[in-house]
Amino acid sequence: MNKRNRLGELGGVIRDFLTSPKIPNFIELLEKGLDKELFYDPDKTKPQIPIEDLPVDYRLRESGFVRKSYERLFPVSHLFRITHRYGREYLDNFMPLSAEKYIGRGSYKFVYALPWNQVVKIGKSKLPSDPIFGSLFKQVNKNLDRYLKPEEIQLMDFLKSKTWTRSAKEDIQFKFSRLGLERLHYWKLKSLIPDLVLPTRYFMGFRVRRTPFGIPILTLTPCDNQNLLPGKHLKEFILLNEKVRQNPIQDAFFPKWKLNFDTHKFGVISRSKLKKIALDFHRVIEVTKHLASEEKLIFDIHSENIIITFPDFDLKIFDYHVFDEHLYEPSKENPSPEIDHINTIREFVRSFELG
């Protein structure tokens, strides 16, 4: 089957998805299979994937002086999944954490490696004015029962009943709404390109830090966890060795580089694998177009959100977000904001020189 037919089929799948009735109980569908995907046996632990084989951007691991000092004074200790059972809060799924297992951060999360081949991602504190909390957040907030499990809503109501101030109740509501928003962002892509999206479980977490006096500091925060995969971020395959000509001011302060793919940096990659990667990127482009044209949403994906796995060289996407179109400023070259993302992907695929 040629590329044109494959892309035509994808367009048909998207149209069917748009015209189909709303999917009931999408959380059950979303988590179906996750128990198997994310299962681990503590009595049969596999060897840890070496850190040099992980898709880790070492610059993201570096923290400033203030952050490092805070971590020494109040070291992270462990994380629980918190839910509601027996008429009260219930903790399970103990996850040991340590500063040594901190492997990166994104705009919205801190990432820690677990003793088994998984990571847990702990949500950062964010203000409601952050652009992530746009129309989709309002949609979630108005219909929480569609995006949270019954026990999560029960937990939210229970925790709110234990607080006295309006601001404390609103803070709890905000955190649970954010958990639902993360699930919705994930579902937007998982429903369209399921084989490219890394299986992810979202849950409400209870993080513990220790003070210098041994007193625990407890924080309620949205979290998620995924399996670790050996591979590299997209940016690690890119050579920035050819500048794009701009005006002198842009060249000096905002340099742009042509993307070139180094096929020998991590071993020889066969032409058939490059074709598979290129086709998968074209599928990502089609989904990006669909979200922009049909839902006025921008699939905000960066090179840190894409990995190419070893030894199969599969394309996988994770930790992305979806923003409202109006939050992006159009440029003269790209009046529609999703074009920036599409052009970056196309330039990357062109560097494969597949013809």
Side-chain angles (χ1 to χ4, degrees), residues 38-301:
L38 298 174
F39 175 78
Y40 73 94
D41 186 343
D43 297 322
K44 297 180 181 178
T45 55
K46 296 181 179 179
Q48 285 283 100
I49 299 172
I51 194 166
E52 59 269 18
D53 290 341
L54 296 180
V56 174
D57 186 335
Y58 286 93
R59 286 172 297 179
L60 295 178
R61 299 188 68 198
E62 287 300 316
S63 297
F65 173 76
V66 174
R67 176 86 193 167
K68 288 178 180 177
S69 300
Y70 179 77
E71 290 289 347
R72 282 196 293 268
L73 289 171
F74 305 99
V76 67
S77 173
H78 53 277
L79 177 78
F80 287 104
R81 183 168 57 191
I82 180 171
T83 184
H84 186 272
R85 294 179 192 170
Y86 312 112
R88 58 170 296 170
E89 70 273 39
Y90 183 88
L91 302 178
D92 66 358
N93 201 14
F94 172 81
M95 303 181 196
L97 305 176
S98 68
E100 293 73 28
K101 294 296 183 179
Y102 169 71
I103 61 171
R105 68 183 187 277
S107 300
Y108 297 98
K109 299 171 187 175
F110 293 107
V111 185
Y112 292 87
L114 295 171
W116 49 96
N117 284 318
Q118 288 186 1
V119 293
V120 61
K121 302 178 181 184
I122 301 173
K124 292 181 181 179
S125 295
K126 288 291 174 184
L127 295 174
S129 57
D130 191 282
I132 192 177
F133 304 116
S135 63
L136 293 183
F137 181 77
K138 294 182 178 67
Q139 175 184 326
V140 170
N141 207 26
K142 291 177 182 177
N143 304 278
L144 273 180
D145 58 331
R146 291 191 61 192
Y147 305 100
L148 296 181
K149 302 173 188 176
E151 60 266 27
E152 290 170 339
I153 293 179
Q154 291 164 11
L155 174 65
M156 179 185 69
D157 292 338
F158 174 81
L159 294 176
K160 287 165 71 173
S161 72
K162 299 298 180 182
T163 62
W164 296 97
T165 66
R166 180 179 177 180
S167 62
K169 295 179 189 295
E170 289 176 347
D171 183 57
I172 291 171
Q173 173 91 20
F174 179 75
K175 290 180 178 180
F176 278 89
S177 297
R178 177 177 170 183
L179 174 62
L181 178 68
E182 296 277 1
R183 281 200 182 117
L184 179 56
H185 283 191
Y186 175 75
W187 177 250
K188 287 284 184 184
L189 274 293
K190 185 69 174 176
S191 60
L192 296 173
I193 42 176
D195 57 313
L196 301 186
V197 175
L198 206 60
T200 306
R201 170 171 281 143
Y202 295 90
F203 62 95
M204 186 57 71
F206 210 46
R207 185 190 63 198
V208 180
R209 289 185 178 275
R210 294 194 311 272
T211 68
F213 306 103
I215 302 172
I217 301 175
L218 309 177
T219 304
L220 185 77
T221 181
C223 300
D224 59 90
N225 78 293
Q226 298 166 333
N227 287 326
L228 274 175
L229 293 179
K232 294 297 176 186
H233 284 297
L234 185 63
K235 67 163 57 174
E236 296 182 70
F237 289 91
I238 295 172
L239 292 177
L240 300 179
N241 58 3
E242 185 179 344
K243 267 191 174 183
V244 176
R245 296 288 297 274
Q246 304 178 98
N247 63 53
I249 295 177
Q250 287 177 316
D251 283 340
F253 295 100
F254 308 102
K256 291 179 67 174
W257 301 83
K258 184 177 179 181
L259 301 180
N260 291 287
F261 187 73
D262 182 1
T263 58
H264 297 282
K265 189 173 183 181
F266 299 104
V268 176
I269 304 174
S270 70
R271 188 175 179 84
S272 62
K273 290 186 185 297
L274 287 177
K275 286 183 177 179
K276 169 67 166 55
I277 294 171
L279 177 59
D280 286 341
F281 271 120
H282 280 297
R283 294 169 60 199
V284 173
I285 288 174
E286 290 301 309
V287 168
T288 303
K289 289 179 178 178
H290 154 69
L291 288 173
S293 62
E294 302 296 334
E295 302 193 43
K296 306 305 178 186
L297 297 171
I298 304 303
F299 172 29
D300 191 55
I301 189 166

Side-chain angles (χ1 to χ4, degrees), residues 282-346:
H282 280 297
R283 294 169 60 199
V284 173
I285 288 174
E286 290 301 309
V287 168
T288 303
K289 289 179 178 178
H290 154 69
L291 288 173
S293 62
E294 302 296 334
E295 302 193 43
K296 306 305 178 186
L297 297 171
I298 304 303
F299 172 29
D300 191 55
I301 189 166
H302 301 280
S303 56
E304 296 89 352
N305 307 122
I306 301 175
I307 64 170
I308 298 176
T309 65
F310 296 153
D312 301 322
F313 286 90
D314 287 329
L315 181 69
K316 295 294 179 184
I317 300 170
F318 60 97
D319 293 354
Y320 49 80
H321 287 99
V322 182
F323 290 86
D324 289 325
E325 182 183 61
H326 65 267
L327 295 175
Y328 284 78
E329 288 293 333
S331 62
K332 188 177 295 184
E333 298 82 8
N334 298 322
S336 186
E338 82 280 358
I339 299 298
D340 285 322
H341 297 271
I342 291 173
N343 284 346
T344 298
I345 292 174
R346 282 177 171 161

